[in-house]
Amino acid sequence: RRLQQTLAKDASKKRCYDFLNMTSRSFAAVIQELDDELRDAVCLFYLVLRGLDTIEDDMTLDLDRKVELLRSFDQIIYKEGWTFNENGPNEKDRALLVHFDVVIAEFLRLKPEFQAVIANITKLMGNGMADYATGEHRENTSVATIKDFDLYCHYVAGLVGYGLSDLFAASGLESEEIAKDKALSNSMGLFLQKTNIIRDYREDLDDGRQFWPREIWGKYADKFSDFIQPENKLKAQYCLSNMVLNVLDDVPQVLTYLSKLRNQSVFNFCAIPQVMAISTLALVFNNLDIYHRNIKIRKGEAVKLILDSTDMDNVVSIFRHYVFEISRKNEATDPNFMEISMAIGRVSIQV
Ligand code: PS7
Ligand code: MN
Ligand code: MN
Ligand code: MN
Ligand code: MN
Ligand code: MN
């Protein structure tokens, strides 16, 4: 019997890692390289939030039902055997929800401290997503002010930073200090999320979503979709540089956070997505292709970045390189030229 139980446990853990590899292009590898004390907790944190985000992203789900699921997801993860049975788009991430009982079974095997961190963040994120799906913040799935933009990114990414820092501390691999400065953890998430939102302009537009704040894009066009028109090229370039300027704000905090890490596997896990993001930011800057298709850094460049992100000195060099690329592409005729130069100046102190 005991052997049978052990085998069943191993099978459901393996299925969780299969789901991780299936649903994440970017995080699967770095999560699996984490030290034993953290690997399962971060894997389950990822899968729980991936499940939550799949509900948020499902545009076929009845809005009232969506909000009910988002607001109660922190309780659903304690319901042994719960699965998602509703119809929905047949995308790959939906399979995760259909078999969510497997994720719940493994979640319930985590240390109670880890469970508490994951449930707390799930509750805050689910309620934040629900507010944006219904509330005054987000009529017609659009974000009005820069403050709204920061708050939405806080809900879907800054909170992931809070939760990860709490897990690092709870594992004992990092000191409690890392979880104390919430602004630093928040910036770690915002930098990834905002870069993703810039890069995904066209994909999100085609899906009927707008995440760029009107306070920024409204300076350059009347309609968010105007930027795809060839006659608006210059406006599109200036709007994009304004968005890049907004993201550059978080770079100093990202470097400060990374400099505080002590565990090698945690450092790699945190640093790799951030160097991918700064390289993506340099690639998208003044690159009007983002208005037409999904652009990505070349595979070879990504592999090199992963191999090079081994310590703070190397990460600083990588940031210096890409920030210099941005400064090289910065044009004096761009209305954001001066502010971009100043933002780069603030980063230069650290690199
Ligand atoms: C728990 C690793 C390291 C302190 C599912 C990692 C979607 C950018 O466009 O899937 O929807 O396809 O490419 C990740 C901070 C969150 C922020 C947020 C959980 C770093 C649900 C990542 C990931 C904090 C909401 C994935 C925020 O992008 O986007 C774990 C420290 C999930 C991190 C979403 C986005 C993540 C995102 P798309 P992606
Ligand atoms: Mn994704
Ligand atoms: Mn989403
Ligand atoms: Mn998503
Ligand atoms: Mn995206
Ligand atoms: Mn996506």
Side-chain angles (χ1 to χ4, degrees), residues 330-348:
N330 196 12
E331 291 172 7
T333 48
D334 190 315
N336 300 295
F337 172 80
M338 208 50 168
E339 281 206 75
I340 289 176
S341 303
M342 291 193 289
I344 289 173
R346 289 191 290 274
V347 176
S348 300

Side-chain angles (χ1 to χ4, degrees), residues 2 9 40 87 132 136 140 180 191 247 282 285-286 314:
R2 183 156 319 143
K9 247 193 242 173
D40 293 347
N87 299 324
Y132 272 76
E136 69 276 19
N140 297 319
K180 290 224 172 88
F191 187 60
V247 189
F285 184 51
N286 282 354
N314 289 335

Side-chain angles (χ1 to χ4, degrees), residues 35 40 43 48 57 69 75 103 124 156 193 196 263 269 289:
D35 288 351
D40 293 347
C43 176
V48 165
D57 291 356
L69 285 165
Q75 289 153 32
V103 174
L124 295 170
V156 301
Q193 186 67 24
N196 181 296
N263 175 274
F269 169 78
D289 288 350

